[in-house]
Structures are given as C-alpha cells and as structure tokens.
C-alpha cells in the first residue's frame, strides 16, 4: 500500500503500529528513535520527543513542513517535536520519492555502527536481492546538521544506513516500507554477529551474487 492510499488518520495509526514494532523488536530503548511519514508533498507527520515508541497514540503526532516548522501541533496539546527530525527532513528534501523515514537504535545494528563497520557481506539470496549492502554514515553529533550531511549521500542509492556510533536510519515508499528496511538491517546485523560466533561467515559464490544482483530489477529495486 503506498502512502497515498492512507487517510490522514490511517497514517497516524500506521506510525503508531510501526513504533510498537520497533519497541517490541528491541530496536529502541526507552524514548529513543523517531518515525516520520509524508502526508503530502510538503508536510510530514512526526513522532514527538520523550515518548516510548511502544506507547505512541495518534494524538501525540505533530504535522511539520519540510523546513521543520510546526504546522499542526499534537492534538494531545503537550507533545513536542524531536530534534532528531533534521535527518528525516533532509532525506525528504533531497529525494522526493522518499515518503517515510525510521530512526532507531537496533541492538545488533548499533553494535556494528559503534564498531564502525558497514555490512557488505553477501551471504543469503533474499538479502542480496533486497539489500545488497548496508553502508556506514560517518559520525555526526545528534541533532546537528552533521547527521543529515552524513546520510544524504545515500538518499538515492540505498534505503538504509548505519549511523556511526549512534544507530541507523531507514527510508522508503511508505511507513511500512521504511520499517521493513530497518527490520532487514537488524536481521542482517544479527546474522553477521551469529555467523561470526560459529566461525561460519561465508559469502555466496561471485557468479551467484552477480545473478542475484541482476534479479533486483524484476523486483523494482
Ligand atoms: Zn538516535
């Protein structure tokens, strides 16, 4: 379902469900992480600061323009925007095809972000087709322009990036697409961690990788 098929209220509810998924899959701790989605070409819905993603409700979400100005405060009357929305806004301004962004601190993905290692090993077919590599965006101080500057180069070429010593950002054609990119990032990080534990990290043969990369187009990737 593309974002254009959601009513405004349905989009609010979808963001809350995605928040619950992030929290229940240990991809955020306490009030960490944030989710945004475009409601039209110039406006987004954003999760607020200071709320667990497992406890979002539609009335806690804020409508902002792409400059980050509040256009419609949270109906709750008390919830304020997150300063981390800057990296989301940059992605929307750079690539109009991006309709939603998810920022999280997925446990295993963040371990690799702290180590400073991009995940590039091509170990299983579905991952090679869907997400051949997970790049690493160089460290930037949270809430400064350094974070958007570091992820912007990936806006057209990838749908995820590890944020060095911080966490991860994913983006997509709607809020569920952006969420599932984050889920695949974390799965890949878990798989990398586990295969190293059993000394079993092993890439597919080069000709098979080439064949799988060639199949990406038929999946619209
Ligand atoms: Zn963060």
């Amino acid at each position: 379902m593309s974002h254009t098929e959601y009513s405004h209220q349905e989009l609010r509810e979808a963001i809350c469900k995605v928040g619950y998924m992030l929290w229940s899959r240990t991809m955020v701790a306490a009030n960490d992480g944030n989710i945004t989605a475009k409601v039209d070409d110039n406006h987004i819905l954003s999760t607020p600061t200071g709320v667990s993603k497992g406890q979002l409700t539609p009335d806690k979400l804020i409508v902002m323009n792409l400059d980050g100005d509040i256009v419609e405060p949270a109906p709750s009357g008390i919830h304020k925007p997150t300063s981390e929305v800057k990296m989301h806004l940059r992605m929307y301004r750079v690539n109009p095809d991006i309709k939603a962004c998810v920022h999280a601190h997925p446990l295993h993905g963040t371990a690799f972000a702290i180590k400073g290692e991009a995940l590039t090993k091509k170990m299983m077919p579905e991952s090679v087709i869907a997400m051949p590599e997970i790049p690493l965006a160089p460290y930037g101080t949270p809430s400064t322009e350094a974070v958007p500057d570091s992820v912007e180069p990936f806006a057209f070429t990838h749908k995820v990036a590890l944020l060095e010593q911080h966490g991860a950002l994913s983006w997509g054609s709607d809020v569920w697409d952006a969420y599932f990119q984050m889920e695949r990032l974390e799965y890949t990080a878990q798989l990398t961690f586990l295969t190293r534990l059993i000394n079993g990290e092993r890439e597919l043969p080069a000709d098979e990788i080439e064949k799988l990369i060639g199949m990406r187009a038929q999946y619209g990737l």
Side-chain angles (χ1 to χ4, degrees):
M1 182 185 267
S2 87
H3 82 296
T4 51
E5 294 172 65
Y6 289 102
S7 70
H8 184 93
Q9 184 60 24
E10 284 170 341
L11 187 56
R12 283 180 183 263
E13 286 164 9
I15 289 171
C16 296
K17 282 183 191 158
V18 162
Y20 188 81
M21 294 290 283
L22 288 173
W23 175 81
S24 63
R25 304 283 310 258
T26 63
M27 294 202 272
V28 288
N31 299 331
D32 295 350
N34 26 78
I35 305 157
T36 60
K38 281 179 104 171
V39 290
D40 59 40
D41 288 346
N42 302 308
H43 299 94
I44 59 164
L45 270 167
S46 175
T47 53
T49 189
V51 175
S52 163
K53 301 299 117 22
Q55 297 176 336
L56 289 171
T57 47
D59 65 327
K60 293 173 182 164
L61 307 184
I62 299 144
V63 179
M64 307 174 88
N65 63 25
L66 297 190
D67 292 324
D69 304 316
I70 298 174
V71 173
E72 201 183 309
S76 69
I78 53 170
H79 292 94
K80 304 290 177 227
T82 165
S83 57
E84 279 190 314
V85 77
K86 285 177 184 164
M87 60 179 141
H88 302 235
L89 293 169
R90 178 74 67 84
M91 299 306 267
Y92 295 126
R93 289 201 297 261
V94 167
N95 182 353
D97 290 337
I98 297 174
K99 305 299 185 192
C101 295
V102 170
H103 167 55
H105 304 161
L107 195 59
H108 299 78
T110 303
F112 284 98
I114 290 168
K115 187 185 175 196
E117 181 181 343
L119 297 170
T120 58
K121 292 279 196 302
K122 294 168 180 58
M123 296 190 279
M124 61 175 286
E126 285 88 345
S127 293
V128 176
I129 294 170
M131 190 177 285
E133 61 170 20
I134 299 168
L136 177 75
Y139 181 75
T141 306
S143 308
T144 70
E145 293 301 321
V147 182
D149 286 349
S150 76
V151 287
E152 180 182 328
F154 306 109
F156 287 94
T157 53
H158 297 74
K159 287 178 125 180
V160 290
L162 292 174
L163 309 177
E164 186 175 12
Q165 293 202 267
H166 179 173
L169 182 71
S170 64
W171 52 95
S173 58
D174 67 31
V175 69
W176 280 108
D177 183 34
Y179 167 76
F180 286 128
Q181 303 298 329
M182 184 64 74
E183 196 174 274
R184 187 173 292 284
L185 174 153
E186 174 61 356
Y187 176 78
T188 301
Q190 282 180 303
L191 202 60
T192 304
F193 177 81
L194 284 171
T195 52
R196 284 185 191 175
L197 268 188
I198 60 170
N199 200 22
E201 195 176 31
R202 190 157 72 104
E203 287 198 288
L204 290 157
D207 59 338
E208 184 65 15
I209 291 171
E210 202 177 321
K211 197 195 298 177
L212 292 166
I213 295 279
M215 290 167 69
R216 282 172 53 78
Q218 75 191 62
Y219 292 97
L221 299 166

